[in-house]
Amino acid sequence: MQKSNSKIESDLGTRGATGIKTHSLTKEFEVDEGTEVVFEDVNINIEPGSFVSLVGRSGSGKSTLLNILSGILEPTSGRIEYDVDDPEIGHVFQSPRLLPWDTCLENIEYVHEDNSNYSDDIAKKHLDMVGLSDHYDKYPSGLSGGQKQRVGIARAFSIDPEVLLMDEPFSNLDEITAEELRKELAELWENFNKTIVFVTHNITEAIQLSDRILMIGEGEIYADIEVPIDRPRRVEDNEFIEFQTKAIKQFRSVDE
Amino acid sequence: MAINSSDRLSKVYNKYSSVLNTPLLKELKKRPRICEFIFIFSVWTVLAYIFDGSALPYPHEVLYGTWQVLTEGNVWTHISYTFTSTFIAFFITMAIGIVMGISMATNEYGTKLFLPYVVIGLSVPAIAWAAIATLIYGIGIVVPILSAILVMYPIVALIIWKGVEDIDANRIQMSDSFDISRRRMVRRIILPEIAPTLFASSRYGLAVGWKIVTIAEIFAGSRGIGYMIILTFDQFQWSRTWAWAVIFIGIVLFIEYAIFQPLEKRAYKYKEAEMYTAMG
């Protein structure tokens, strides 16, 4: 990805960010044996423009919470409050969910149904932003896993969202590509004023990227920790390792 | 011993390599369709020789017969009659098959409602439908159309059912999360996704449709290619019987190469994209 300059910023991200508050959010699913509570009475307050990670084990309900924030799922009770009315929400999924019969440009154009200002130039600028300037007319089958995820990120940024919801976007990639994309995402977040909620089960990834880590498990947010490390963060730094050790201990505390 | 046979083989190859590598044979290697025609005509000639040219006339006789049939005034009447029956049956079947297939794929009620019809439809032999339709409606255009619909709909419904079931729910969810309208989703996701299913069911529908319509025309026709096949057969004009079969095959091949394949090529353009060949 190319580091965004002010010209690109002014063209691509004008909407800013929104804060998110949840009030007594509860989600239950009906199962054969009765009712299964995914989480109960979740109250979180996410500052506008912050990078927050939701960390939890498989089945802890982190993706369910993300899907409720996005509106894909309805909560059983409770409500969500955004600072702005009807905020624009961008999504990046674990698998990029591109349309294989459309080119990279067309994949971005697809999510601009109601945008009268949309032009191919906007899509091209977003693809440039994620380092895919030579791939405008390529089909996803001609891209690597990392490149496909870059198209997914460009697609989410292209709608100029106030909130970006990312559901384990790098977990299907090899570690070197994932590491590269993490750095680039951190740069994009620093250059564009967006609120990011990032779901992962990888503590190291959460520390590298976030301002704040919310640990979810046993139906509740059992830990809410600030990451006090200066950016850019390097996993090999002592400060990082020390914090990681503490965070992992806290992550495991749910089992005790 | 092995060395000897290998030597013998290489000697044989060297002896005939000049023949195998002639420009004509090299050219033929590149053109499988021409080879196919040569093969068919060779087998045909041999079979005609075996049957003494009576039940199976020689290719040139059939081609002459085809030319005669094509230059006669009534050929298009029969072709258009068979075509009309087949296409009416095809479109009605596709409509029934799409409705049944989508209903069965998307809700349990639909599966319970339509599955018995599919099972019954599949288990009754095609010839039985043609006979039953003839008993009920006598001679006329209804028989070939009805027979073809009854034979085709269960398979078309079955193919579409399985095709729609395989639609990737993740892409629908992605579209929902970006607030994409149903109309755009159908055009940009559902249709391309079920395109292979639609092609498969249309191909199958037409292929079976032709056969059933022709069989029904043989049973209860007063016009059409099937009727002409049985008429010329009864009059012992076997080269003409074969000529009508050749015309029929020509039309089916024309539809395959002039309609289905270009459409398919257009729909699957994205599959031709070069696969990424990353190291490791």
Side-chain angles (χ1 to χ4, degrees):
Chain A
M1 281 181 224
Q2 293 161 359
K3 191 160 180 172
S4 314
N5 56 36
S6 56
K7 172 76 178 78
I8 290 179
E9 275 175 56
S10 64
D11 278 357
L12 302 183
T14 53
R15 205 175 263 139
T18 179
I20 311 165
K21 283 192 190 87
T22 71
H23 302 275
S24 303
L25 220 52
T26 298
K27 182 67 187 174
E28 294 168 353
F29 282 119
E30 294 300 323
V31 289
D32 290 343
E33 296 80 31
T35 307
E36 191 186 306
V37 179
V38 185
F39 48 77
E40 210 170 3
D41 200 26
V42 167
N43 295 290
I44 47 180
N45 186 358
I46 297 172
E47 293 295 319
S50 60
F51 197 127
V52 174
S53 285
L54 271 175
V55 184
R57 293 190 170 170
S58 303
S60 59
K62 52 191 190 304
S63 293
T64 307
L65 180 55
L66 197 80
N67 285 335
I68 290 175
L69 291 180
S70 73
I72 292 175
L73 286 178
E74 285 291 323
T76 309
S77 63
R79 63 187 179 90
I80 303 160
E81 190 187 326
Y82 291 98
D83 291 351
V84 294
D85 291 335
D86 197 17
E88 202 65 57
I89 300 176
H91 294 255
V92 181
F93 304 91
Q94 189 171 10
S95 67
R97 303 185 186 182
L98 302 178
L99 314 185
W101 39 83
D102 281 349
T103 61
C104 294
L105 270 185
E106 288 163 346
N107 264 285
I108 291 181
E109 179 270 335
Y110 177 64
V111 297
H112 288 267
E113 186 176 13
D114 299 322
N115 183 0
S116 53
N117 296 325
Y118 172 83
S119 71
D120 278 354
D121 284 343
I122 292 177
K124 281 178 186 170
K125 279 179 186 168
H126 281 93
L127 287 170
D128 293 347
M129 181 184 89
V130 295
L132 292 177
S133 353
D134 299 331
H135 299 74
Y136 299 152
D137 297 319
K138 273 199 179 166
Y139 289 98
S141 59
L143 302 178
S144 68
Q147 287 171 326
K148 283 179 196 165
Q149 198 52 283
R150 285 184 156 103
V151 179
I153 293 171
R155 179 178 63 190
F157 269 94
S158 75
I159 60 165
D160 190 16
E162 279 117 343
V163 187
L164 199 62
L165 303 177
M166 307 182 87
D167 191 359
E168 303 191 46
F170 309 139
S171 61
N172 284 346
L173 304 175
D174 64 87
E175 188 44 37
I176 295 170
T177 310
E179 182 63 27
E180 212 175 279
L181 279 167
R182 273 177 217 130
K183 279 184 191 155
E184 291 163 358
L185 176 65
E187 278 175 19
L188 284 174
W189 172 74
E190 279 174 36
N191 288 316
F192 294 86
N193 179 27
K194 303 289 172 204
T195 307
I196 296 185
V197 182
F198 189 96
V199 163
T200 179
H201 55 256
N202 181 340
I203 295 271
T204 312
E205 182 173 68
I207 300 170
Q208 266 180 295
L209 292 168
S210 342
D211 296 327
R212 197 172 145 208
I213 299 173
L214 302 174
M215 293 180 184
I216 184 168
E218 300 294 324
E220 58 172 0
I221 304 280
Y222 65 90
D224 180 349
I225 50 175
E226 300 281 337
V227 183
I229 310 167
D230 291 335
R231 295 172 191 268
R233 295 169 183 164
R234 283 189 297 268
V235 283
E236 60 275 16
D237 287 353
N238 282 339
E239 196 187 5
F240 193 101
I241 295 166
E242 273 169 33
F243 186 79
Q244 189 184 28
T245 313
K246 269 192 238 165
I248 289 173
K249 222 178 247 177
Q250 212 153 2
F251 185 57
R252 287 179 180 157
S253 68
V254 73
D255 299 330
E256 288 160 8
Chain B
M1 199 64 187
I3 295 166
N4 284 344
S5 28
S6 145
D7 276 353
R8 245 198 324 267
L9 269 178
S10 62
K11 270 181 196 164
V12 171
Y13 179 79
N14 289 337
K15 193 175 169 188
Y16 294 105
S17 63
S18 55
V19 181
L20 290 170
N21 289 320
T22 53
L24 178 68
L25 280 178
K26 273 186 185 170
E27 199 58 29
L28 282 177
K29 276 184 205 166
K30 290 181 213 159
R31 296 174 194 280
R33 276 185 201 156
I34 292 177
C35 292
E36 196 182 354
F37 273 109
I38 293 172
F39 176 75
I40 289 169
F41 275 87
S42 312
V43 172
W44 188 349
T45 309
V46 171
L47 288 174
Y49 177 77
I50 293 168
F51 289 105
D52 199 20
S54 53
L56 179 65
Y58 283 95
H60 69 272
E61 289 171 351
V62 173
L63 288 177
Y64 179 67
T66 309
W67 172 251
Q68 278 184 319
V69 168
L70 285 173
T71 47
E72 282 166 5
N74 65 350
V75 63
W76 299 113
T77 319
H78 295 292
I79 289 176
S80 63
Y81 187 79
T82 302
F83 254 69
T84 311
S85 310
T86 306
F87 280 105
I88 291 174
F90 171 73
F91 286 115
I92 294 174
T93 304
M94 288 307 286
I96 296 171
I98 287 172
V99 170
M100 284 175 78
I102 292 175
S103 304
M104 288 194 291
T106 51
N107 66 75
E108 210 179 323
Y109 185 83
T111 316
K112 283 184 179 156
L113 185 70
F114 291 125
L115 192 58
Y117 296 100
V118 172
V119 175
I120 293 166
L122 284 172
S123 54
V124 178
I127 201 92
W129 287 129
I132 293 166
T134 312
L135 281 174
I136 299 170
Y137 291 100
I139 291 171
I141 198 166
V142 180
V143 175
I145 293 174
L146 191 65
S147 311
I149 292 171
L150 290 170
V151 174
M152 287 190 291
Y153 88 85
I155 300 279
V156 172
L158 203 67
I159 297 173
I160 292 185
W161 176 20
K162 291 297 154 196
V164 173
E165 254 186 359
D166 286 345
I167 286 177
D168 185 356
N170 284 335
R171 280 196 273 269
I172 306 284
Q173 200 191 41
M174 178 275 290
S175 306
D176 277 337
S177 70
F178 282 99
D179 287 332
I180 305 296
S181 69
R182 292 282 142 186
R183 209 176 134 188
R184 190 170 174 87
M185 235 188 272
V186 167
R187 201 167 53 83
R188 297 284 295 270
I189 291 195
I190 311 280
L191 282 178
E193 189 117 43
I194 64 166
T197 303
L198 288 177
F199 275 119
S201 51
S202 304
R203 259 215 184 95
Y204 177 83
L206 266 185
V208 173
W210 293 121
K211 286 181 205 161
I212 306 302
V213 164
T214 315
I215 288 172
E217 283 172 354
I218 288 173
F219 260 94
S222 56
R223 270 187 288 173
I225 296 175
Y227 170 73
M228 289 311 289
I229 286 175
I230 197 69
L231 184 75
T232 51
F233 181 80
D234 287 343
Q235 293 170 347
F236 305 105
Q237 297 176 326
W238 290 326
S239 63
R240 283 186 161 234
T241 308
W242 282 96
W244 279 101
V246 165
I247 291 169
F248 181 80
I249 292 165
I251 293 166
V252 172
L253 287 177
F254 174 79
I255 289 174
E256 171 63 26
Y257 290 111
I259 300 172
F260 275 122
Q261 289 199 4
L263 273 176
E264 219 168 22
K265 209 173 172 185
R266 220 178 113 186
Y268 298 146
K269 207 174 120 197
Y270 69 94
K271 285 193 177 169
E272 288 167 16
E274 195 188 342
M275 292 302 289
Y276 189 78
T277 48
M279 296 291 283

